[in-house]
Amino acid sequence: MPKQVFNLTGAVPGVPYSSATKAGPLVFVSGQIGALDDAGKPISTVEGQTRQLLKKMKIALEAAGASLSDVTKTTVFMVNVNDFAVMNQVYKEFFPREPPARSTVIVAGLAKPEWLVEIEATAYKP
C-alpha cells in the first residue's frame, strides 16, 4: 500500500518529518504545536497553544482528505499537569461529540521551552 506524505506550511524547517501521512485508510498526523499564531507571533498560554495546534491539526487532516470527526486516537503531551483542565476545555471545542480515544502524558519538556502542549493524532478515512 503506497504512502502519501503531506507537508504543510508552518512545519519546523530542517526537521525530518511529515505533517501527515496517509497509508490506506489511516491518516497519521505528527505532533502539532501551537507556539506561534497565524501572524508568527508567540502564543504563551496553554489555551492559545492548544487552540492553535488543533487548528493546524484540522488543516493537516483536510490535506490528507480527512477531518477532525475521523480522528480515532490522540496523544497529548503536556509539560504541566496543572494546565490539563484548560487544555481539556479547548480540546472539547474541537471534539464536541464522540471524542477520540486519548492518552495524556505529562513530560519533563518538549523540544523547545516555549512549547507547552503537543498533540498527535490518528484518523480512519476509508
Side-chain angles (χ1 to χ4, degrees), residues 11 31 106:
I106 305 304

Side-chain angles (χ1 to χ4, degrees), residues 32-34 48-59 61 68 74 87 90-95 119:
Q32 299 294 303
I33 53 99
Q49 287 191 17
T50 303
R51 183 166 282 108
Q52 182 70 2
L53 74 84
L54 287 169
K55 286 183 350 186
K56 288 171 55 180
M57 180 178 291
K58 181 178 183 285
I59 292 167
L61 286 161
L68 288 170
T74 62
M87 178 281 300
V90 176
Y91 187 94
K92 282 195 265 189
E93 293 173 21
F94 287 81
F95 298 104
I119 302 177

